[in-house]
Amino acid sequence: MTITDSAREFFNACETGKGWAACQPYCHDAATFACQADALAETTTLEAYTEWMKGLFTPLPDARYEITALATDQERATVVAAAAIRLSSAPTTR
């Protein structure tokens, strides 16, 4: 499995609310997390973020995501993803 495949699998597990149990195989145990959103200011581990995302699906069960960009830098072993969260299954108009 490539790092892009692993990142995509992690992202899918995280952004669909599967929680740390499903995300952990793709992460280091001490993986940190940082975000500019005030709601996540106190969230400092990837484990905590994945559990926060899992909890988000309680009040928003129809939430879904759409990857808007995915890039892999092989030299630095880094994958960067950007996504939009949709709060209903209604189609979007542009």
Side-chain angles (χ1 to χ4, degrees), residues 80-92:
V80 178
I85 295 178
R86 307 287 182 212
L87 299 180
S88 75
S89 57
T92 58

Side-chain angles (χ1 to χ4, degrees), residues 22-88:
C23 295
Q24 193 278 329
Y26 306 104
C27 305
H28 296 286
D29 288 334
T32 60
F33 176 83
C35 182
Q36 295 175 343
D38 289 341
L40 294 166
E42 302 298 317
T43 304
T44 60
T45 67
L46 200 51
E47 179 178 359
Y49 175 68
T50 62
E51 288 300 307
W52 184 86
M53 282 300 296
K54 182 178 178 180
L56 186 65
F57 282 84
T58 299
L60 303 169
D62 294 331
R64 59 189 172 83
Y65 77 97
E66 173 187 338
I67 292 178
T68 57
L70 183 69
T72 302
D73 181 337
Q74 294 290 347
E75 181 180 336
R76 292 168 188 83
T78 301
V79 179
V80 178
I85 295 178
R86 307 287 182 212
L87 299 180
S88 75

